[in-house]
């Protein structure tokens, strides 16, 4: 007999970390208790995970001097690891908003 399984919202929150930061990456200091950063073994990829645990939208500006390109995935009340282009990367600075109670993962090419 087959069972039907449903993914709970928490699955997508955890996926923001586990899917984009594979084994072998090195965690690096990022200066925030609401963020986590890891670099690939070959040094060509940076993964930045940022959390918003508040009930308000939060604006972020992050200095990323070595990043050439970024892709963002977000989980929020209405999104489940959804790829979004709601950020800007220019002049070595990443700017984005995080909705209340959300998490964003930026996969960056160095």
């Amino acid at each position: 007999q087959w069972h039907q399984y449903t993914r709970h919202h928490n699955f997508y929150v955890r996926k923001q970390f586990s899917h984009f930061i594979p084994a072998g990456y090195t965690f690096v200091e990022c200066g925030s208790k609401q963020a986590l950063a890891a670099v690939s073994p070959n040094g060509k990829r940076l993964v930045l995970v940022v959390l918003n645990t508040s009930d308000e939208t939060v604006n972020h500006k992050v200095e990323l001097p070595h990043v050439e390109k970024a892709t963002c995935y977000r989980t929020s009340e209405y999104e489940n690891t959804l790829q979004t282009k709601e950020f800007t990367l220019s002049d070595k600075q990443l700017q984005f908003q995080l909705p209340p109670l959300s998490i964003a993962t930026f996969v960056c090419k160095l």
Side-chain angles (χ1 to χ4, degrees), residues 5-104:
Y5 293 97
T6 303
R7 290 183 177 160
H8 292 275
H9 194 65
N10 189 282
F11 168 86
Y12 297 99
V13 172
R14 293 174 187 273
K15 182 179 179 181
Q16 296 283 148
F17 296 93
S18 63
H19 181 74
F20 298 105
I21 304 175
Y25 274 50
T26 301
F27 292 101
V28 295
E29 176 62 39
C30 62
S32 172
K33 293 182 180 186
Q34 297 295 315
L36 178 74
V39 177
S40 65
N42 65 7
K44 294 183 178 181
R45 181 175 287 179
L46 168 74
V47 177
L48 176 65
V49 184
V50 184
L51 199 59
N52 179 4
T53 57
S54 76
D55 293 330
E56 304 290 329
T57 297
V58 176
N59 296 311
H60 291 276
K61 290 182 183 179
V62 181
E63 296 295 326
L64 295 173
H66 304 292
V67 172
E68 297 176 11
K69 182 180 175 185
T71 305
C72 179
Y73 302 88
R74 188 169 61 207
T75 297
S76 67
E77 184 177 3
Y78 303 106
E79 302 164 310
N80 291 325
T81 317
L82 179 70
Q83 185 173 345
T84 179
K85 295 182 186 240
E86 295 179 14
F87 68 93
T88 59
L89 178 61
S90 62
D91 297 325
K92 302 180 181 183
Q93 189 175 73
L94 176 66
Q95 294 185 48
F96 60 97
Q97 287 187 329
L98 273 181
L101 303 172
S102 65
I103 184 169

